[in-house]
Amino acid sequence: GAVVSQHPSWVICKSGTSVKIECRSLDFQATTMFWYRQFPKQSLMLMATSNEGSKATYEQGVEKDKFLINHASLTLSTLTVTSAHPEDSSFYICSAPGGGRDGAFFGQGTRLTVV
Amino acid sequence: LAKTTQPISMDSYEGQEVNITCSHNNIATNDYITWYQQFPSQGPRFIIQGYKTKVTNEVASLFIPADRKSSTLSLPRVSLSDTAVYYCLVGSYNTNAGKSTFGDGTTLTVKP
């Protein structure tokens, strides 16, 4: 079945640095991918829609200059958290639409801890 | 995107059937109903999707009444490994699948 892979699974970074998270569709092409953030004991919150070959669209309240999204190919979208701060510590998850009766395919998530 | 309402939590015992109901009063004509399962520190995993009546796969059944304003996920004979958060989502079938508004979900705890 279709798989979406995220890398890294977890990352610890110092405050003020930038972190890049990769989301790959392994056996299918995805012109659109979605990025979510999930804080402990909370639900997933959609951050942005990543569009291959064009700018990402961000949900209200999400800083586009802080969360840089690049979708340079049909199989790769990246999320860069710039100038990370401890409040950016969260679980980041990407997804891609399924083409059939499979809903969406989600990555395994990336645990970001900013110290 | 239609808003959904689910119970916050449910408890069950191994071997029992578990039914989780989701309300989606504002579901649109072209919306599908999709259920996901999420374990701690993992991304959600697709369980089942349906539009109307009943859908069954190897892990669950989905019951949708004629008015489609609610749906029930049925998990037969649950085990400890079914302890997870279950999310009910409604949305269009194709392009927007994945652009979803997640509600609070239902935390299912299966006890021995």
Side-chain angles (χ1 to χ4, degrees):
Chain A
V3 175
V4 172
S5 178
Q6 276 184 246
H7 178 81
S9 297
W10 60 270
V11 58
I12 302 173
C13 71
K14 291 184 177 180
S15 186
T17 61
S18 296
V19 173
K20 179 184 287 187
I21 303 170
E22 294 185 346
C23 179
R24 294 182 183 273
S25 56
L26 295 187
D27 55 359
F28 68 104
Q29 295 180 336
T31 57
T32 303
M33 290 185 178
F34 305 97
W35 287 95
Y36 294 83
R37 180 168 54 182
Q38 185 175 33
F39 292 108
K41 304 293 185 182
Q42 294 187 24
S43 185
L44 284 76
M45 182 175 298
L46 179 66
M47 299 175 65
T49 301
S50 174
N51 304 297
E52 188 270 335
S54 64
K55 292 183 178 180
T57 54
Y58 293 80
E59 296 300 302
Q60 189 173 7
V62 178
E63 300 175 59
K64 62 179 181 180
D65 293 331
K66 181 170 185 61
F67 299 99
L68 301 180
I69 291 174
N70 184 275
H71 197 146
S73 77
L74 289 172
T75 59
L76 174 65
S77 174
T78 60
L79 168 68
T80 301
V81 183
T82 63
S83 187
H85 288 97
E87 56 266 31
D88 298 323
S89 297
S90 188
F91 192 55
Y92 292 86
I93 309 168
C94 68
S95 75
R101 292 186 174 275
D102 295 325
F105 304 113
F106 287 84
Q108 68 269 45
T110 297
R111 174 75 59 192
L112 170 63
T113 302
V114 184
V115 298
Chain B
L1 298 174
K3 179 180 172 59
T4 60
T5 303
Q6 305 172 231
I8 294 297
S9 64
M10 293 182 68
D11 290 343
S12 183
Y13 291 91
E14 282 190 293
Q16 289 188 335
E17 177 185 78
V18 171
N19 296 308
I20 306 174
T21 297
C22 177
S23 297
H24 29 78
N25 292 317
N26 297 320
I27 189 169
T29 303
N30 61 345
D31 282 342
Y32 279 72
I33 300 156
T34 310
W35 286 79
Y36 293 92
Q37 175 192 57
Q38 186 183 28
F39 296 113
S41 297
Q42 294 186 27
R45 183 175 70 121
F46 171 83
I47 301 176
I48 198 166
Q49 182 180 76
Y51 184 81
K52 62 180 180 180
T53 61
K54 176 184 176 181
V55 180
T56 297
N57 61 22
E58 63 274 10
V59 298
S61 295
L62 179 60
F63 299 92
I64 306 168
D67 65 4
R68 302 198 331 120
K69 293 184 182 298
S70 67
S71 59
T72 299
L73 173 71
S74 181
L75 304 173
R77 299 180 299 279
V78 294
S79 64
L80 296 176
S81 61
D82 292 317
T83 294
V85 180
Y86 292 82
Y87 294 99
C88 161
L89 283 75
V90 293
S92 63
Y93 185 74
N94 292 317
T95 304
N96 288 332
K99 180 178 182 179
S100 305
T101 299
F102 281 78
D104 293 331
T106 297
T107 299
L108 171 65
T109 302
V110 180
K111 303 176 181 178

